[in-house]
């Protein structure tokens, strides 16, 4: 009997003396909605009215209702902030105010598509230490999601887990990404998952105002006239490499021309199909590494590709963002058959890159 009592006392003391850390991992909960994602949004008036309006305007209703997707859902507040920021800028320039119903369709479509991800991603599927790249349903644009685990002190299931949702800007460098977080996650509908974004998120990430205040460049002579394109140097992998020189002429900011070793001087040249007047040109920064940007260059025109006339020169220029297209204007009324951009200095380091170059004509 004594031994039995002693054994019971030892067990009680062992359990009572075990140390409680006080911290518990939050167990991720799922909310189930019996219907498709589009129907779920419509069932929440006062929360997703603006989102539904934009989905309808850009023609995503069928995808959101029928396809297997993950929707990172901006609330009404996200759209209000975006429109308010845009109209504050427009008022300063005495322009009429804009609404979701009349802003440019093309820009709205591209931005809305970023929130509609192909495939079903519950929070735990993004729990890898590095998160996961995920792709928008319509255009295949690369986004990123990462579950941020939550811990609580003193009680089980105490702190909500959230997802960090990022526009990668097609850059491998985290410093170039623009991120937001969710307010709630894992609303499970018949055709996928809804994660609700924080009300502090501004729809479009940091692109909304920029896209709708952008003044497009003058017509591109590479497209309106056509020509033959050459460069003084080529990518180490040759003219068909992934980042060969031909991509600096293609009018696509998502591609680029890369040189692993920048020479003292590098030129890009076009021989137009017919002599044409140019009074502007554009340069577009590439997706990453600002150190590779050109900062000094000159533009020249020629009738024969041998004798050149300087039309414009720039020094210590800067691209303040990735994929940034800058327009440079100059005085010229002469129709040249050849135009050449000679780059003489990059920001730093030894590597050079440029997404795009064009010569343009602006009606005076």
């Amino acid at each position: 009997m004594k031994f039995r009592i002693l054994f019971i006392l030892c067990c009680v003391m062992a359990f009572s003396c075990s140390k409680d850390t006080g911290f518990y991992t939050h167990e991720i909960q799922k909310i189930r909605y019996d219907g498709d994602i589009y129907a779920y949004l419509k069932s929440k008036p006062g929360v997703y009215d603006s989102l539904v309006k934009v989905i309808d305007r850009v023609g995503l209703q069928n995808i959101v209702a029928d396809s297997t997707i993950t929707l990172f859902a901006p609330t009404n507040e996200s759209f209000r902030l975006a429109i308010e920021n845009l109209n504050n800028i427009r008022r300063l320039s005495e322009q009429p105010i804009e609404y979701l119903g009349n802003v440019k369709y093309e820009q709205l479509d591209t931005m809305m598509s970023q929130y509609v991800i192909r495939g079903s991603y519950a929070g735990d599927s993004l729990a890898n230490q590095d998160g996961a790249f995920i792709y928008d349903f319509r255009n295949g644009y690369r986004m990123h999601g990462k579950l941020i685990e939550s811990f609580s002190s003193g009680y089980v299931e105490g702190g909500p887990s959230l997802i960090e949702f990022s526009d990668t800007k097609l850059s491998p460098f985290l410093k170039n990404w623009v991120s937001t977080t969710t307010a709630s996650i894992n609303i499970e509908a018949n055709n996928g998952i809804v994660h609700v974004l924080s009300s502090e998120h501004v729809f479009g990430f940091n692109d909304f105002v920029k896209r709708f205040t952008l003044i497009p460049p003058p017509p591109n002579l590479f497209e309106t006239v056509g020509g033959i394109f050459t460069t003084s140097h080529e990518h180490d992998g040759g003219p068909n490499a992934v980042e060969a020189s031909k991509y600096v002429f293609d009018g696509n900011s998502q591609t680029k021309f890369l040189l692993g070793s920048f020479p003292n001087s590098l030129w890009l040249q076009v021989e137009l199909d017919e002599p044409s007047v140019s009074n502007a040109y554009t340069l577009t920064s590439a997706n990453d590494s600002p150190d590779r940007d050109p900062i000094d260059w000159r533009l020249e025109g020629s009738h024969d590709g041998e004798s050149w006339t300087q039309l414009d020169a720039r020094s210590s220029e800067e691209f303040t963002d990735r994929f940034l297209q800058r327009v440079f204007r100059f005085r010229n009324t002469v129709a040249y058959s050849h135009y050449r951009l000679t780059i003489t200095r990059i920001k730093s380091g030894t590597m050079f890159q440029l997404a795009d170059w064009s010569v343009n004509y602006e009606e005076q």
Side-chain angles (χ1 to χ4, degrees), residues 2-54:
K2 289 181 180 180
F3 288 110
R4 181 177 296 180
I5 295 173
L6 181 61
F7 175 76
I8 294 172
L9 288 173
C10 289
C11 289
V12 170
M13 291 179 65
F15 282 112
S16 64
C17 292
S18 61
K19 187 174 181 180
D20 184 350
T21 62
F23 290 87
Y24 304 87
T25 303
H26 174 66
E27 296 178 11
I28 301 175
Q29 304 296 306
K30 289 183 179 178
I31 300 171
R32 175 69 191 168
Y33 175 77
D34 187 17
D36 62 67
I37 291 176
Y38 187 73
Y40 169 74
L41 299 177
K42 297 275 283 186
S43 74
K44 300 292 182 181
V47 181
Y48 301 118
D49 311 79
S50 295
L51 177 57
V52 170
K53 183 173 185 176
V54 172

Side-chain angles (χ1 to χ4, degrees), residues 81-90 95 107 111 202-215:
L81 289 171
I83 288 292
E84 183 178 90
N85 291 344
L86 172 64
N87 286 326
N88 285 341
I89 297 296
R90 293 182 67 84
Q95 293 179 306
Q107 302 292 355
M111 286 186 285
V202 180
F203 174 75
F205 292 87
N206 65 348
D207 283 343
F208 192 85
V209 172
K210 185 190 307 181
R211 284 173 180 258
F212 292 117
T213 56
L214 174 69
I215 299 174

Side-chain angles (χ1 to χ4, degrees), residues 256-295:
K256 69 180 179 183
F257 174 31
L258 175 71
L259 283 179
S261 180
F262 178 70
N264 291 331
S265 180
L266 160 71
W267 54 255
L268 317 174
Q269 183 174 305
V270 59
E271 179 182 356
L272 295 173
D273 289 345
E274 62 182 59
S276 303
V277 176
S278 171
N279 55 13
Y281 61 99
T282 71
L283 296 179
T284 305
S285 61
N287 63 314
D288 58 13
S289 301
D291 289 348
R292 302 173 187 173
D293 292 343
I295 61 172

Side-chain angles (χ1 to χ4, degrees), residues 136-152:
D136 92 51
F137 191 97
R138 178 172 274 176
N139 305 307
Y141 183 84
R142 186 174 68 193
M143 304 291 284
H144 187 270
K146 180 181 179 181
L147 181 71
I148 300 176
E149 293 284 5
S150 178
F151 296 90
S152 57

Side-chain angles (χ1 to χ4, degrees), residues 52-70:
V52 170
K53 183 173 185 176
V54 172
I55 287 172
D56 289 349
R57 187 174 172 212
V58 301
L60 282 168
Q61 305 99 312
N62 291 338
I63 290 174
V64 174
D66 300 330
S67 300
T68 301
I69 63 166
T70 300

